[in-house]
Amino acid sequence: MGQIISIDYGKVRSGIAATDDMQIIASGVDTIQTNFLLEFLNQYFSQNKVDGAVVGLPVDLKGNISDVEEDILKFIEEFEKKFPNIPVYRLDERFTSKIASFFISQSGKNKKQRQEKGLIDKVSATILLQNFLEKRIR
């Protein structure tokens, strides 16, 4: 069994998280400049067995899809061409950034560390992936 990764896609930065090989727990991997995302994933996949990728679906409180979805769909199209054997799953990412900010604020990090947007992206990807794992079990 291989890992499942998640991508909290953003126009500038994207957070990456991955499961363990048993697909039980999600952990943050890194935050990558989005223009280097496919390059990073290519290297990551060459070093790790990956069985699937979860990409956040940006939905607002009213259920409307965010403008970034157009960029995400282009990314997914490129991803599927480059990695045709890795299925892509979508999951509502509503509240992941707010939850990530809350957890970071409770972690004892100083103010500068709490405001680091890259950390929020990585934690958001971790929350997204853990939510995916929990929904898959039910």
Side-chain angles (χ1 to χ4, degrees), residues 61-76:
L61 294 175
K62 295 180 180 177
N64 300 317
I65 302 293
S66 169
D67 294 341
V68 76
E69 176 67 3
E70 188 175 317
D71 294 327
I72 293 172
L73 291 173
K74 288 177 188 172
F75 164 74
I76 291 172

PDB file of all heavy atoms in Angstrom, residues 61-76:
ATOM      1  N   LEU A  61     -19.009  29.731   2.171  1.00  0.00           N
ATOM      2  CA  LEU A  61     -20.083  29.401   3.115  1.00  0.00           C
ATOM      3  C   LEU A  61     -21.444  29.221   2.454  1.00  0.00           C
ATOM      4  O   LEU A  61     -22.298  28.505   2.961  1.00  0.00           O
ATOM      5  CB  LEU A  61     -20.183  30.479   4.192  1.00  0.00           C
ATOM      6  CG  LEU A  61     -18.991  30.586   5.136  1.00  0.00           C
ATOM      7  CD1 LEU A  61     -19.170  31.762   6.074  1.00  0.00           C
ATOM      8  CD2 LEU A  61     -18.804  29.296   5.910  1.00  0.00           C
ATOM      9  N   LYS A  62     -21.649  29.874   1.317  1.00  0.00           N
ATOM     10  CA  LYS A  62     -22.926  29.759   0.614  1.00  0.00           C
ATOM     11  C   LYS A  62     -22.946  28.617  -0.386  1.00  0.00           C
ATOM     12  O   LYS A  62     -23.928  28.424  -1.090  1.00  0.00           O
ATOM     13  CB  LYS A  62     -23.225  31.074  -0.112  1.00  0.00           C
ATOM     14  CG  LYS A  62     -23.447  32.229   0.832  1.00  0.00           C
ATOM     15  CD  LYS A  62     -23.740  33.511   0.073  1.00  0.00           C
ATOM     16  CE  LYS A  62     -23.946  34.657   1.048  1.00  0.00           C
ATOM     17  NZ  LYS A  62     -24.154  35.929   0.358  1.00  0.00           N
ATOM     18  N   GLY A  63     -21.836  27.867  -0.458  1.00  0.00           N
ATOM     19  CA  GLY A  63     -21.769  26.747  -1.382  1.00  0.00           C
ATOM     20  C   GLY A  63     -21.285  27.118  -2.771  1.00  0.00           C
ATOM     21  O   GLY A  63     -21.321  26.284  -3.679  1.00  0.00           O
ATOM     22  N   ASN A  64     -20.823  28.356  -2.938  1.00  0.00           N
ATOM     23  CA  ASN A  64     -20.302  28.793  -4.235  1.00  0.00           C
ATOM     24  C   ASN A  64     -18.840  28.387  -4.375  1.00  0.00           C
ATOM     25  O   ASN A  64     -18.080  28.426  -3.413  1.00  0.00           O
ATOM     26  CB  ASN A  64     -20.410  30.319  -4.381  1.00  0.00           C
ATOM     27  CG  ASN A  64     -21.844  30.790  -4.283  1.00  0.00           C
ATOM     28  OD1 ASN A  64     -22.746  30.197  -4.859  1.00  0.00           O
ATOM     29  ND2 ASN A  64     -22.059  31.864  -3.538  1.00  0.00           N
ATOM     30  N   ILE A  65     -18.462  28.048  -5.600  1.00  0.00           N
ATOM     31  CA  ILE A  65     -17.083  27.677  -5.883  1.00  0.00           C
ATOM     32  C   ILE A  65     -16.245  28.948  -6.036  1.00  0.00           C
ATOM     33  O   ILE A  65     -16.634  29.887  -6.727  1.00  0.00           O
ATOM     34  CB  ILE A  65     -16.999  26.832  -7.179  1.00  0.00           C
ATOM     35  CG1 ILE A  65     -17.862  25.575  -7.074  1.00  0.00           C
ATOM     36  CG2 ILE A  65     -15.563  26.478  -7.508  1.00  0.00           C
ATOM     37  CD1 ILE A  65     -17.396  24.561  -6.069  1.00  0.00           C
ATOM     38  N   SER A  66     -15.067  28.952  -5.418  1.00  0.00           N
ATOM     39  CA  SER A  66     -14.161  30.097  -5.464  1.00  0.00           C
ATOM     40  C   SER A  66     -13.530  30.254  -6.850  1.00  0.00           C
ATOM     41  O   SER A  66     -13.449  29.311  -7.632  1.00  0.00           O
ATOM     42  CB  SER A  66     -13.064  29.888  -4.418  1.00  0.00           C
ATOM     43  OG  SER A  66     -12.032  30.814  -4.571  1.00  0.00           O
ATOM     44  N   ASP A  67     -13.030  31.462  -7.118  1.00  0.00           N
ATOM     45  CA  ASP A  67     -12.381  31.761  -8.397  1.00  0.00           C
ATOM     46  C   ASP A  67     -11.134  30.912  -8.640  1.00  0.00           C
ATOM     47  O   ASP A  67     -10.782  30.647  -9.783  1.00  0.00           O
ATOM     48  CB  ASP A  67     -11.984  33.239  -8.463  1.00  0.00           C
ATOM     49  CG  ASP A  67     -13.193  34.157  -8.487  1.00  0.00           C
ATOM     50  OD1 ASP A  67     -14.302  33.680  -8.816  1.00  0.00           O
ATOM     51  OD2 ASP A  67     -13.032  35.353  -8.170  1.00  0.00           O
ATOM     52  N   VAL A  68     -10.465  30.479  -7.593  1.00  0.00           N
ATOM     53  CA  VAL A  68      -9.237  29.695  -7.754  1.00  0.00           C
ATOM     54  C   VAL A  68      -9.517  28.310  -8.368  1.00  0.00           C
ATOM     55  O   VAL A  68      -8.614  27.657  -8.868  1.00  0.00           O
ATOM     56  CB  VAL A  68      -8.464  29.579  -6.410  1.00  0.00           C
ATOM     57  CG1 VAL A  68      -9.137  28.584  -5.480  1.00  0.00           C
ATOM     58  CG2 VAL A  68      -7.020  29.199  -6.648  1.00  0.00           C
ATOM     59  N   GLU A  69     -10.785  27.904  -8.389  1.00  0.00           N
ATOM     60  CA  GLU A  69     -11.148  26.589  -8.944  1.00  0.00           C
ATOM     61  C   GLU A  69     -10.717  26.455 -10.403  1.00  0.00           C
ATOM     62  O   GLU A  69     -10.295  25.380 -10.835  1.00  0.00           O
ATOM     63  CB  GLU A  69     -12.650  26.335  -8.800  1.00  0.00           C
ATOM     64  CG  GLU A  69     -13.139  25.042  -9.433  1.00  0.00           C
ATOM     65  CD  GLU A  69     -12.636  23.759  -8.781  1.00  0.00           C
ATOM     66  OE1 GLU A  69     -11.919  23.827  -7.757  1.00  0.00           O
ATOM     67  OE2 GLU A  69     -12.958  22.680  -9.295  1.00  0.00           O
ATOM     68  N   GLU A  70     -10.782  27.531 -11.156  1.00  0.00           N
ATOM     69  CA  GLU A  70     -10.359  27.481 -12.558  1.00  0.00           C
ATOM     70  C   GLU A  70      -8.878  27.077 -12.653  1.00  0.00           C
ATOM     71  O   GLU A  70      -8.505  26.235 -13.468  1.00  0.00           O
ATOM     72  CB  GLU A  70     -10.579  28.854 -13.207  1.00  0.00           C
ATOM     73  CG  GLU A  70     -10.355  28.859 -14.702  1.00  0.00           C
ATOM     74  CD  GLU A  70     -10.714  30.207 -15.308  1.00  0.00           C
ATOM     75  OE1 GLU A  70     -11.754  30.789 -14.928  1.00  0.00           O
ATOM     76  OE2 GLU A  70      -9.934  30.654 -16.161  1.00  0.00           O
ATOM     77  N   ASP A  71      -8.043  27.659 -11.783  1.00  0.00           N
ATOM     78  CA  ASP A  71      -6.616  27.301 -11.747  1.00  0.00           C
ATOM     79  C   ASP A  71      -6.427  25.864 -11.268  1.00  0.00           C
ATOM     80  O   ASP A  71      -5.552  25.148 -11.768  1.00  0.00           O
ATOM     81  CB  ASP A  71      -5.852  28.249 -10.828  1.00  0.00           C
ATOM     82  CG  ASP A  71      -5.821  29.678 -11.340  1.00  0.00           C
ATOM     83  OD1 ASP A  71      -5.806  29.861 -12.579  1.00  0.00           O
ATOM     84  OD2 ASP A  71      -5.808  30.605 -10.512  1.00  0.00           O
ATOM     85  N   ILE A  72      -7.236  25.457 -10.305  1.00  0.00           N
ATOM     86  CA  ILE A  72      -7.138  24.091  -9.786  1.00  0.00           C
ATOM     87  C   ILE A  72      -7.471  23.082 -10.879  1.00  0.00           C
ATOM     88  O   ILE A  72      -6.783  22.058 -11.032  1.00  0.00           O
ATOM     89  CB  ILE A  72      -8.050  23.904  -8.551  1.00  0.00           C
ATOM     90  CG1 ILE A  72      -7.540  24.741  -7.384  1.00  0.00           C
ATOM     91  CG2 ILE A  72      -8.140  22.427  -8.163  1.00  0.00           C
ATOM     92  CD1 ILE A  72      -8.465  24.790  -6.185  1.00  0.00           C
ATOM     93  N   LEU A  73      -8.506  23.355 -11.659  1.00  0.00           N
ATOM     94  CA  LEU A  73      -8.884  22.432 -12.732  1.00  0.00           C
ATOM     95  C   LEU A  73      -7.771  22.314 -13.781  1.00  0.00           C
ATOM     96  O   LEU A  73      -7.502  21.213 -14.287  1.00  0.00           O
ATOM     97  CB  LEU A  73     -10.198  22.863 -13.380  1.00  0.00           C
ATOM     98  CG  LEU A  73     -11.432  22.710 -12.489  1.00  0.00           C
ATOM     99  CD1 LEU A  73     -12.659  23.319 -13.166  1.00  0.00           C
ATOM    100  CD2 LEU A  73     -11.674  21.254 -12.124  1.00  0.00           C
ATOM    101  N   LYS A  74      -7.097  23.415 -14.082  1.00  0.00           N
ATOM    102  CA  LYS A  74      -5.955  23.365 -15.002  1.00  0.00           C
ATOM    103  C   LYS A  74      -4.832  22.522 -14.400  1.00  0.00           C
ATOM    104  O   LYS A  74      -4.201  21.726 -15.097  1.00  0.00           O
ATOM    105  CB  LYS A  74      -5.451  24.777 -15.304  1.00  0.00           C
ATOM    106  CG  LYS A  74      -6.370  25.572 -16.195  1.00  0.00           C
ATOM    107  CD  LYS A  74      -5.843  26.983 -16.389  1.00  0.00           C
ATOM    108  CE  LYS A  74      -6.862  27.843 -17.109  1.00  0.00           C
ATOM    109  NZ  LYS A  74      -6.470  29.258 -17.149  1.00  0.00           N
ATOM    110  N   PHE A  75      -4.579  22.714 -13.108  1.00  0.00           N
ATOM    111  CA  PHE A  75      -3.549  21.934 -12.433  1.00  0.00           C
ATOM    112  C   PHE A  75      -3.883  20.444 -12.484  1.00  0.00           C
ATOM    113  O   PHE A  75      -3.028  19.616 -12.790  1.00  0.00           O
ATOM    114  CB  PHE A  75      -3.376  22.387 -10.975  1.00  0.00           C
ATOM    115  CG  PHE A  75      -2.620  21.401 -10.149  1.00  0.00           C
ATOM    116  CD1 PHE A  75      -1.247  21.263 -10.291  1.00  0.00           C
ATOM    117  CD2 PHE A  75      -3.286  20.570  -9.252  1.00  0.00           C
ATOM    118  CE1 PHE A  75      -0.547  20.317  -9.549  1.00  0.00           C
ATOM    119  CE2 PHE A  75      -2.599  19.634  -8.511  1.00  0.00           C
ATOM    120  CZ  PHE A  75      -1.223  19.511  -8.650  1.00  0.00           C
ATOM    121  N   ILE A  76      -5.140  20.097 -12.174  1.00  0.00           N
ATOM    122  CA  ILE A  76      -5.546  18.693 -12.175  1.00  0.00           C
ATOM    123  C   ILE A  76      -5.381  18.082 -13.570  1.00  0.00           C
ATOM    124  O   ILE A  76      -4.920  16.937 -13.706  1.00  0.00           O
ATOM    125  CB  ILE A  76      -6.989  18.522 -11.651  1.00  0.00           C
ATOM    126  CG1 ILE A  76      -7.038  18.838 -10.148  1.00  0.00           C
ATOM    127  CG2 ILE A  76      -7.519  17.116 -11.929  1.00  0.00           C
ATOM    128  CD1 ILE A  76      -8.431  18.899  -9.564  1.00  0.00           C
TER     129      ILE A  76
END
